[in-house]
Amino acid sequence: MTTSMIVLTVLVLAIVAGFVAVHRARAVAKGEHLHSRPIYHGAYAFTWAALPSILALVAWIIVSPFVIDGVVRSNFPEDVGPQLNAFPGLAESIVDSLARGIRLIPEHERGAVADMGIAELGPILQARGVPVVTAAQDFMIPAALAQIQAEDTSRLAMTVVVIALAVAGAAFAISRIRLRLRARDTVERVTRALLIVASSIAILTTVGIVFSMLFEAMQFFSFVPITDFLFGTVWEPRFAAAGTSAAGQFGLVPLLAGTLYIALVAMCFAVPIGLFAAIYMAEYASPRARGVVKPLLEVLAGIPTIVYGFFALITVGPFLRDLSGQLNGLLTGSYSSFIQAQSVLTAGLVMGVMLIPFVSSLSDDVITAVPRSLRDGSLGLGATRSETVRKVILPAALPGIVSALLLTMSRAIGETMIVVLAAGIAANLTINPFEAMTTVTIKIVSQLTGDIDFTSPQSLVAFALGLSLFVITLGLNVFALYIVRKYREQYE
């Protein structure tokens, strides 16, 4: 039985147990007062039927590969050969491939496989579309057969144990139904435990991501001093090679400057438009106009970033380049362009368009959440609508707006597709917004693509860049939380 079928069977048993428990609880009550409502008795039985069996299934799926791997290794000779010894895990991978291929052979023909050598089995598997590598050897065939047997046995045992646990749990829960059974308390404790587990998974996932980047970044800093990385102004990593004394230049400064510069241009474009749009929608627009304008603005948020990149590459960039040429011609008589098609300005403008719905939607929610009493009080004292917005609504909504802007800034810093098409990949260090620059995210992608050696500084630097980006965005988020908490106390 497949894993999905086992889960489905367990869920069906648990649902049936839940209905039986509800019916039994009503029968036990007979007009008397139950401690918990019948629905909680149903949830109690569902929990006992589903939870232990699902936990057992998960544990079995995690542990069984290690047990099966041990069974397979027990069929290996002591010396598997120099070729396989040189690559740990290669023999196990070949055996696994052979096992998957042997499963494709009909059952009545599989009995002869044990007497075959790899020279006989290879053509049979290749005829069924399973490639056999040249490193495959005869001893791997018994190991593959042992793996198949172990997997089948494990699957059968898992099915029996999981379904038996579901049945036993359901029977136990139904047998415990009494008038004073605290089913609601048990269900709430289980629910709270599941919520804690879900929260822990999210937190541990974040911790795991950070430590994985940190571990690889530490390897990079064993090649390159951290001071050279943090304060270097030249990015030229291609001359560094693993195991050589050649030292590349891994300066973070030009990448960080490009990242912040492009994000700043984007925010300068997105914040006024998005904020004014939010004020209009929240304070001036009629409900009908708001119902039309807000969805139209949010359509921009649903457009894939690669589409924005193409828009910048084929429309905005050439337009700015030609416009600068015309302006230069009118002023100096020379029609040479002073804005490159791929530039900070191009990327910033297009990214700003992408960020408008983030700013407007988040700010609109914050402004709308300002208590109505503040508006009424201001208007009652004789203030105009604009004075109320400037002196009451916006100061009250300021912490939320600042938080929204910082979150939008984090979104801009992490953008990749628009930058690679609109700003180029040149790691320049310049203050001219009409020239090309690049960002940290672009270099992370470029350092991890292609035929690379993951032990070399060229690839390890990507983890150091990712860690730097994580620290920056984390700092922005923490600052946003600080702003929200500080001013929330002031207005509550």
Side-chain angles (χ1 to χ4, degrees):
M1 187 179 287
T2 62
T3 304
S4 57
M5 284 301 299
I6 296 173
V7 173
L8 183 61
T9 304
V10 169
L11 291 178
V12 170
L13 288 173
I15 292 172
V16 171
F19 279 109
V20 172
V22 170
H23 179 73
R24 180 174 171 77
R26 288 172 178 164
V28 168
K30 293 181 180 177
E32 297 188 41
H33 182 68
L34 287 167
H35 174 275
S36 304
R37 297 172 58 190
I39 188 65
Y40 285 106
H41 289 84
Y44 178 79
F46 180 91
T47 302
W48 268 104
L51 192 59
S53 53
I54 294 296
L55 291 177
L57 177 65
V58 172
W60 202 294
I61 291 175
I62 294 174
V63 174
S64 63
F66 297 99
V67 177
I68 294 172
D69 188 57
V71 173
V72 172
R73 284 176 177 274
S74 66
N75 285 273
F76 284 4
E78 294 184 0
D79 184 12
V80 297
Q83 185 179 7
L84 297 176
N85 280 327
F87 299 96
L90 177 60
E92 289 81 355
S93 299
I94 297 174
V95 170
D96 184 65
S97 175
L98 290 175
R100 284 186 280 110
I102 291 173
R103 283 188 180 278
L104 299 178
I105 299 175
E107 195 70 34
H108 63 279
E109 298 178 11
R110 197 180 297 175
V113 171
D115 300 326
M116 294 182 181
I118 197 66
E120 299 172 83
L121 181 62
I124 297 175
L125 296 182
Q126 289 174 355
R128 288 172 169 76
V130 180
V132 179
V133 298
T134 55
Q137 299 181 19
D138 291 342
F139 75 85
M140 295 178 178
I141 296 177
L145 294 172
Q147 177 175 331
I148 292 172
Q149 185 177 4
E151 288 176 347
D152 292 345
T153 304
S154 173
R155 172 70 59 178
L156 178 61
M158 181 177 71
T159 303
V160 172
V161 169
V162 171
I163 294 179
L165 276 175
V167 174
F172 173 75
I174 293 171
S175 67
R176 282 178 54 84
I177 293 177
R178 302 284 188 277
L179 281 177
R180 308 312 304 163
L181 176 65
R182 296 178 177 272
R184 185 184 63 186
D185 297 345
T186 303
V187 171
E188 289 180 350
R189 281 198 298 271
V190 171
T191 303
R192 185 168 61 248
L194 291 177
L195 293 176
I196 292 173
V197 169
S199 303
S200 302
I201 289 174
I203 294 172
L204 291 176
T205 301
T206 305
V207 172
I209 292 172
V210 172
F211 273 96
S212 64
M213 285 195 301
L214 187 62
F215 177 75
E216 300 295 341
M218 293 302 293
Q219 282 191 302
F220 168 71
F221 291 129
S222 67
F223 291 102
V224 178
I226 189 171
T227 52
D228 293 351
F229 173 72
L230 293 178
F231 303 110
T233 57
V234 178
W235 175 264
E236 187 53 79
R238 62 184 175 182
F239 295 116
T244 70
S245 59
Q249 299 187 70
F250 298 90
L252 176 65
V253 173
L255 305 183
L256 193 58
T259 301
L260 298 178
Y261 201 178
I262 293 173
L264 180 63
V265 173
M267 293 298 289
C268 289
F269 184 73
V271 169
I273 297 177
L275 195 53
F276 289 158
I279 293 172
Y280 168 73
M281 289 188 295
E283 298 298 326
Y284 293 98
S286 63
R288 185 175 181 180
R290 175 186 170 86
V292 174
V293 173
K294 189 169 184 178
L296 288 177
L297 270 177
E298 291 178 346
V299 166
L300 292 175
I303 298 175
T305 56
I306 186 66
V307 177
Y308 283 108
F310 283 130
F311 177 63
L313 183 66
I314 65 177
T315 303
V316 178
F319 171 75
L320 293 176
R321 181 196 60 201
D322 297 342
L323 179 64
S324 66
Q326 293 297 326
L327 292 175
N328 197 26
L330 291 175
L331 296 175
T332 65
S334 172
Y335 286 89
S336 60
S337 302
F338 57 85
I339 301 179
Q340 299 179 16
Q342 287 187 322
S343 64
V344 172
L345 183 62
T346 304
L349 287 178
V350 177
M351 193 186 298
V353 173
M354 183 196 71
L355 296 177
I356 286 174
F358 291 94
V359 177
S360 64
S361 182
L362 292 173
S363 300
D364 175 64
D365 293 339
V366 172
I367 294 172
T368 306
V370 173
R372 186 71 196 174
S373 59
L374 294 179
R375 293 179 177 82
D376 295 340
S378 175
L379 295 173
L381 290 173
T384 63
R385 179 67 64 88
S386 62
E387 288 173 338
T388 301
V389 170
R390 284 187 290 109
K391 297 185 178 180
V392 177
I393 303 299
L394 289 182
L398 183 63
I401 292 175
V402 172
S403 177
L405 297 184
L406 291 176
L407 291 175
T408 306
M409 184 75 174
S410 299
R411 177 75 174 81
I413 289 175
E415 176 52 37
T416 303
M417 297 309 300
I418 294 177
V419 178
V420 73
L421 293 175
I425 59 173
N428 295 327
L429 185 58
T430 177
I431 60 172
N432 187 353
F434 305 145
E435 294 183 0
M437 294 183 76
T438 194
T439 62
V440 173
T441 54
I442 297 300
K443 288 305 173 186
I444 290 175
V445 174
S446 63
Q447 295 304 119
L448 292 178
T449 52
D451 188 10
I452 58 174
D453 179 7
F454 269 89
T455 61
S456 67
Q458 291 97 326
S459 58
L460 292 174
V461 71
F463 297 97
L465 294 174
L467 190 62
S468 305
L469 204 60
F470 175 79
V471 172
I472 293 171
T473 53
L474 179 64
L476 287 173
N477 291 334
V478 170
F479 184 64
L481 289 175
Y482 168 75
I483 293 292
V484 170
R485 290 179 180 176
K486 178 179 175 63
Y487 286 93
R488 178 186 295 167
E489 292 177 357
Q490 180 176 344
Y491 285 98
E492 281 182 347

